[in-house]
Amino acid sequence: MDRTACIVMTSIGTEDEAEELAAAIVEAQLAACVQIQRVRSLYVWQGELHREPEWVLHIKTLVARYAALEAFIRERHSYQTPEIVQVPITAGSADYLHWLAAGSAPAAQE
């Protein structure tokens, strides 16, 4: 399995949804870690300007897990068009990246 690391970001409307989704992602071993951060988003949706609190999930995982992670998020996300973007990690602490890879590895039965 490719051990190239990345961060996948998504935003969600409530803190409870963020906690639930983050826990499910880590428990499914689709990521080693998920950080949750409250933000305020301004965006246009269906022709109207919205100003909303959101919670951003910074999901630390492997590039090789992206497709499974995206499908997992889509199945559980409450937004019609959720933000799901992958950001490459081009460098980092070797020990941390090793831990990230181990925590993001698929279970043996996959």
Side-chain angles (χ1 to χ4, degrees), residues 63-104:
V63 170
R65 300 295 277 158
Y66 177 80
L69 177 59
E70 180 182 348
F72 191 89
I73 293 169
R74 285 186 183 282
E75 289 174 7
R76 290 160 179 79
H77 209 290
S78 61
Y79 290 0
Q80 181 180 349
T81 306
E83 167 194 14
I84 307 172
V85 297
Q86 181 189 84
V87 179
I89 296 175
T90 59
S93 159
D95 291 340
Y96 177 80
L97 294 177
H98 178 76
W99 172 83
L100 187 156
S104 303

Side-chain angles (χ1 to χ4, degrees), residues 15-75:
E15 187 174 14
D16 288 343
E17 287 178 298
E19 289 276 343
E20 186 176 312
L21 182 57
I25 288 167
V26 172
E27 289 171 356
Q29 292 182 289
L30 289 168
C33 172
V34 179
Q35 293 174 318
I36 300 169
Q37 184 175 27
R38 185 177 177 163
V39 299
R40 183 148 182 87
S41 295
L42 283 79
Y43 58 92
V44 174
W45 178 250
Q46 297 179 340
E48 292 185 32
L49 177 63
H50 293 260
R51 294 174 172 90
E52 304 288 340
E54 289 188 302
W55 283 258
V56 174
L57 281 64
H58 295 259
I59 305 162
K60 283 59 169 289
T61 191
L62 299 174
V63 170
R65 300 295 277 158
Y66 177 80
L69 177 59
E70 180 182 348
F72 191 89
I73 293 169
R74 285 186 183 282
E75 289 174 7

